[in-house]
Amino acid sequence: MGGPDTFRRADSLCGVSAIDLNSDLGEWDLAKDAGNDARMFRIVSSANVASGFHAGNSDSMLASSRLAAEHGVILGAHPSYRDREGFGRRELEIDSATLIADILEQVDALSNAADAAGARIRYLKPHGALYNRIAV
């Protein structure tokens, strides 16, 4: 399969300056395997990596960070409400200070994994109900 370079070459043929093929990844833990993540990192140009509250854990964040570094994929944090049972899709009423602390905790966890893998977080894209709350 291709990788980000394949899409850059296709851009020049189509007259498009850039196409970002993005995916939510790292949404697994030790109870499950990584599934198709390793294959997906070979074809995406950016990845929203689950940062632990709706899915993922320190192992999946480290594995995702390593794969992003290996394949030149731009790494993004994908924080959510503290809602593993609802996969981050339930809107939770929490105060602003708690929400800020929760987001910072998730970004810090992924940042530590990224540092260990020789990568760095380049953006943040909220997940699920948190995204919907911010987008409205």
Side-chain angles (χ1 to χ4, degrees):
M1 295 210 111
D5 289 334
T6 301
F7 295 105
R8 285 187 199 100
R9 287 190 299 275
D11 292 347
S12 64
L13 297 173
C14 299
V16 176
S17 62
I19 295 173
D20 177 25
L21 184 57
N22 175 268
S23 183
D24 294 352
L25 296 169
E27 294 181 326
W28 54 276
D29 58 32
L30 290 178
K32 303 173 187 173
D33 65 11
N36 293 317
D37 276 19
R39 282 175 272 189
M40 289 296 294
F41 272 101
R42 291 194 300 246
I43 63 172
V44 299
S45 52
S46 65
N48 312 319
V49 175
S51 301
F53 281 16
H54 74 282
N57 58 31
S58 59
D59 293 322
S60 63
M61 286 185 263
L62 180 58
S64 295
S65 297
R66 286 178 175 153
L67 286 164
E70 178 183 343
H71 296 289
V73 172
I74 296 170
L75 184 65
H78 202 35
S80 68
Y81 286 120
R82 194 180 292 266
D83 179 29
R84 288 185 83 83
E85 182 178 302
F87 196 66
R89 293 186 175 134
R90 298 181 296 186
E91 187 168 330
L92 303 179
E93 292 301 321
I94 60 175
D95 63 84
S96 295
T98 301
L99 179 58
I100 290 167
D102 283 354
I103 291 170
L104 290 175
E105 180 180 337
Q106 292 173 84
V107 171
D108 188 52
L110 182 59
S111 182
N112 289 337
D115 287 347
R120 72 182 182 114
I121 298 172
R122 302 280 300 276
Y123 67 92
L124 183 145
K125 189 219 172 226
H127 170 82
L130 181 58
Y131 176 85
N132 292 337
R133 177 180 184 176
I134 292 170
V136 174

